[in-house]
Amino acid sequence: MAYEDRVTKQVSVFLENKSGRLAEVCQVLGDAGVNMRALCIADTSDFGILRLIVNDPGRATRVLQERGFGVGEADVLALVVPDRPGGLASVLAVMKQRDINVEYMYAFFITVDGDAVVLFRIEEQQIASTIELLEQNDVRILYAEEVYAL
Amino acid sequence: MIWDPENECMDPEQRRELQLHRLRSTVARLAANVPFYQQRFAEADVSPLDLKSVDDLRYLPFTTKDDLRETYPTGMIAVPLSELVRIHSSSGTTGTPVIAGYTRRDVDIWAETIARTICLGGGTSADILQVAYGYGLFTGGLGLHYGGERVGCTVIPMSAGNTARQVMMMRDLKSTMLACTPSYALTIADEIVDSGMDIEQLHLRNGLFGAEVWSDSSRAAIESTLNIKAHDIYGLTEIIGPGVSAECGCSCGLHICDDHFIPEIIDPETREVLPAGERGELVFTCITKEAFPVIRFRTRDITTLHYEKCECGRTTTRMDRVTGRDDDMLIIRGVNVFPSQIENVLVNIEETLPHYQLVITKEGRLDVLEVQVEVSSEIFADTIRGLEAVEDKIRRELASALSIQCRVKLVEPKSIERSIGKAKRVIDLREE
């Protein structure tokens, strides 16, 4: 894929709604020296999906699989969003122009040059066109390497 | 290779004469030694002298699993107990265990029938046979063990369990044949995949799998993962254990040792004998056993018999693979459900059989079937929508296959207990 270097790998973990499972994931990653950069949890009454941005997604996936977790990797975009009222709205407006469908999004703990970083999950077939569109509209997309090193 | 060409390829007419001779002598011994049969024969007003042909078997009374439970533990034993050299027992998964006694000659006959099974499954004296059936009261382990020694295989008596060690021995001792339950074969296959072992390091060629009902999809999964030919083998503790019948390389049903066990097919409702080629309940009569011969034992297994000579050269009667046992059948809101139906739906969705479990509960007066499916990499999605779509798809396909609604719950990988013997796929929490 073109723009491959601007696609960040998110690690997704299937969790049953049972106590202690999230703690176990964090422990496994901690023991493996994997540092978490951003996370979000989506849940239903039966299960949840933990989405993680880490410094080393390959290693995180491997150690979690070894410990029997259901793990997958997904492609996401890390966009730099101006940290001011209407900042996110302006980015979303750009995407709306072309009917780009955001599956989900969540924000980083860390800012870059005073701006917020928000992760966007876009349908796979739209990723390349989204990157093109955003760059034409001067929305900064972080390179995957920058994200892992945040 | 055919283990016993004289008996396995015998002219069918000659075999019928042999069967009649053996049947009459068995009935005479039971009438003399087992009060249960004395009474049943008297009620049916039959004596061994009435048996003019094997077809006259139909005048003899049936034996059911309940009869065996009522005569627990040794009421059916037809010899003085001091003549027994071995005791086995059914696993008791479906009720009171059945005690099977063997005389020295019974143990010998058993080894012969399992030697046939091993050769039907492509085995020879050059094979290294890893027996991963449980050893003990269960007939699987010791049955295959003695049969393997009879053929002259190198037998590795692993018993069931300790899967990592199974795989290590399999690799290091270059096992060529594996005998275990199909569900344990899948557990071993998982272990091989998880350990990252290259399948090329193994030397397995054939597998002998039985003691539980398994679907064609499980067979495909075992064959592709272990890179072997999987043979279905069939037996029941009530008849002798494994060794009753097994598939040859022609994949055209299981050859029955019918010079030892006479098969019949009956209509389970009317109990009338059905003509050759019709599907119904399989019934066996033991005609060579000394200690524990049962007459017309109703297996509750549904199948069809075939009497034509097989391409492999054997003339023994063949039975179709049993894909559902009455005992496994669940009745959910009045609808008959076989776990194998659910397996077929799951395998079609994921392409490989996932680990699953069925939990049945009652909510008010209503039965609720919950199908728990482990989330494998094939069905994992990072969106709720994606996972709910998987649940929904499984739910819809099950509803159309089973004609009942069920709940589907995705669970974490490895959260469903792995089996080492008979798979415990069903947890029925309904109060009787």
Side-chain angles (χ1 to χ4, degrees):
Chain A
M1 194 207 310
Y3 311 113
E4 202 169 324
D5 49 0
R6 264 151 291 177
V7 173
T8 296
K9 292 284 177 204
Q10 169 197 274
V11 178
S12 328
V13 189
F14 178 85
L15 294 176
E16 272 177 75
N17 283 354
K18 287 190 291 198
S19 62
R21 296 301 280 162
L22 181 58
E24 257 182 271
V25 172
C26 297
Q27 190 65 49
V28 168
L29 292 178
D31 291 348
V34 173
N35 204 348
M36 291 190 268
R37 298 306 186 186
L39 66 81
C40 96
I41 294 177
D43 67 320
T44 72
S45 56
D46 285 333
F47 61 82
I49 303 169
L50 170 66
R51 298 153 184 157
L52 291 166
I53 300 297
V54 298
N55 62 338
D56 186 346
R59 183 173 175 78
T61 303
R62 202 172 55 247
V63 295
L64 288 170
Q65 260 166 358
E66 280 168 9
R67 291 293 294 272
F69 285 95
V71 190
E73 283 185 5
D75 294 340
V76 295
L77 299 179
L79 305 186
V80 177
V81 175
D83 192 10
R84 57 172 168 76
L88 181 57
S90 65
V91 172
L92 290 173
V94 170
M95 299 214 234
K96 186 160 181 282
Q97 287 169 22
R98 298 281 178 88
D99 285 332
I100 288 170
N101 186 20
V102 178
E103 300 256 7
Y104 55 80
M105 49 183 276
Y106 54 105
F108 255 83
F109 311 137
I110 310 159
T111 54
V112 172
D113 306 330
D115 283 330
V117 179
V118 178
L119 291 149
F120 283 80
R121 170 75 153 99
I122 310 288
E123 274 179 33
E124 236 156 274
Q125 55 272 31
Q126 288 190 327
I127 291 180
S129 60
T130 307
I131 294 175
E132 213 171 71
L133 173 74
L134 292 170
E135 295 201 329
Q136 284 162 6
N137 287 275
D138 298 320
V139 178
R140 183 175 164 201
I141 306 169
L142 293 183
Y143 284 76
E145 288 311 316
E146 294 179 87
V147 176
Y148 303 146
L150 276 176
Chain B
M1 159 190 165
I2 297 177
W3 174 249
D4 182 355
E6 189 189 332
N7 284 303
E8 291 178 84
C9 306
M10 185 182 276
D11 171 66
E13 264 320 300
Q14 200 186 337
R15 185 180 292 120
R16 283 173 66 82
E17 278 174 39
L18 181 68
Q19 285 174 331
L20 177 62
H21 171 73
R22 289 176 169 174
L23 175 64
R24 291 173 75 157
S25 101
T26 300
V27 169
R29 276 196 313 109
L30 288 174
N33 300 330
V34 179
F36 170 86
Y37 279 116
Q38 267 166 10
Q39 195 188 335
R40 287 291 171 93
F41 292 157
E43 282 164 11
D45 195 22
V46 287
S47 92
L49 300 175
D50 298 333
L51 301 167
K52 307 288 186 226
S53 90
V54 178
D55 290 337
D56 292 342
L57 193 54
R58 71 182 66 212
Y59 302 119
L60 295 179
F62 290 103
T63 309
T64 64
K65 202 152 186 155
D66 283 339
D67 293 330
L68 301 183
R69 285 181 187 140
E70 279 160 25
T71 52
Y72 175 88
T74 54
M76 288 291 198
I77 302 295
V79 297
L81 296 183
S82 62
E83 284 183 29
L84 299 182
V85 299
R86 182 96 66 81
I87 296 287
H88 280 286
S89 160
S90 68
S91 50
T93 42
T94 51
T96 314
V98 169
I99 301 297
Y102 300 72
T103 64
R104 192 174 301 284
R105 182 159 172 272
D106 291 338
V107 168
D108 183 65
I109 286 172
W110 192 21
E112 280 293 310
T113 60
I114 295 180
R116 291 187 195 176
T117 286
I118 290 169
C119 294
L120 278 158
T124 69
S125 60
D127 269 289
I128 298 165
L129 172 64
Q130 181 157 341
V131 179
Y133 277 116
Y135 278 63
L137 276 176
F138 175 50
T139 51
L142 285 165
L144 266 296
H145 183 101
Y146 277 72
E149 288 190 351
R150 179 64 56 97
V151 172
C153 304
T154 307
V155 179
I156 311 175
M158 291 298 297
S159 193
N162 207 339
T163 312
R165 196 179 168 82
Q166 296 272 1
V167 172
M168 186 189 87
M169 291 298 231
M170 189 177 283
R171 179 194 63 199
D172 297 346
L173 296 174
K174 300 184 170 56
S175 304
T176 55
M177 201 170 207
L178 172 66
C180 61
T181 58
S183 56
Y184 193 50
L186 286 166
T187 303
I188 291 176
D190 273 358
E191 172 71 26
I192 291 170
V193 171
D194 289 351
S195 69
M197 184 185 287
D198 180 1
I199 196 75
E200 296 296 320
Q201 288 183 283
L202 300 180
H203 295 73
L204 286 179
R205 292 186 300 116
N206 287 294
L208 305 173
F209 306 117
E212 59 188 15
V213 174
W214 48 310
S215 61
D216 287 336
S217 30
S218 291
R219 180 203 287 257
I222 292 169
E223 289 192 328
S224 66
T225 321
L226 293 177
N227 192 21
I228 56 171
K229 177 144 178 73
H231 301 263
D232 193 5
I233 71 172
Y234 176 90
L236 307 89
T237 309
E238 293 85 350
I239 304 303
I240 199 162
V244 175
S245 68
E247 281 179 318
C248 65
C250 302
S251 304
C252 57
L254 290 78
H255 287 270
I256 298 169
C257 293
D258 57 359
D259 48 335
H260 296 284
F261 320 109
I262 304 178
E264 297 172 281
I265 293 289
I266 62 163
D267 179 328
E269 299 298 322
T270 65
R271 303 194 288 178
E272 290 297 321
V273 176
L274 295 176
E278 290 211 19
R279 196 170 155 78
E281 181 180 345
L282 181 62
V283 169
F284 277 114
T285 298
C286 302
I287 52 172
T288 51
K289 280 170 74 188
E290 292 181 330
F292 179 47
V294 285
I295 300 294
R296 302 192 83 196
F297 178 72
R298 294 187 59 174
T299 64
R300 307 187 69 181
D301 288 331
I302 304 296
T303 187
T304 306
L305 294 177
H306 303 279
Y307 291 90
E308 318 81 61
K309 181 175 175 178
C310 179
E311 278 173 40
C312 71
R314 294 174 181 87
T315 56
T316 42
T317 309
R318 281 168 289 129
M319 56 186 260
D320 283 343
R321 242 159 87 65
V322 174
T323 47
R325 182 172 279 190
D326 257 12
D327 291 347
D328 292 327
M329 191 182 76
L330 303 166
I331 301 179
I332 312 286
R333 276 171 260 155
V335 177
N336 297 349
V337 174
F338 287 98
S340 56
Q341 291 176 293
I342 293 171
E343 243 179 58
N344 279 326
V345 168
L346 294 177
V347 85
N348 288 331
I349 289 173
E350 294 201 40
E351 291 175 357
T352 56
L353 183 69
H355 284 278
Y356 72 95
Q357 195 164 36
L358 310 178
V359 181
I360 306 147
T361 51
K362 233 178 170 63
E363 285 182 5
R365 300 167 68 97
L366 203 62
D367 298 329
V368 177
L369 171 63
E370 179 174 274
V371 180
Q372 299 181 345
V373 182
E374 284 188 4
V375 172
S376 61
S377 51
E378 283 83 6
I379 60 170
F380 182 83
D382 67 314
T383 58
I384 297 284
R385 190 155 59 95
L387 287 174
E388 284 181 341
V390 171
E391 281 187 335
D392 196 50
K393 184 166 187 212
I394 297 174
R395 192 179 305 118
R396 270 184 290 117
E397 304 217 349
L398 284 174
S400 93
L402 307 177
S403 324
I404 54 160
Q405 293 295 328
C406 53
R407 290 184 192 163
V408 173
K409 183 179 182 192
L410 298 178
V411 299
E412 288 179 24
K414 314 274 176 189
S415 62
I416 293 172
E417 200 186 331
R418 294 296 184 263
S419 93
I420 56 170
K422 292 199 183 197
K424 193 160 173 49
R425 297 285 198 197
V426 180
I427 298 177
D428 195 339
L429 301 172
R430 289 176 292 189
E431 301 280 323
E432 283 301 322

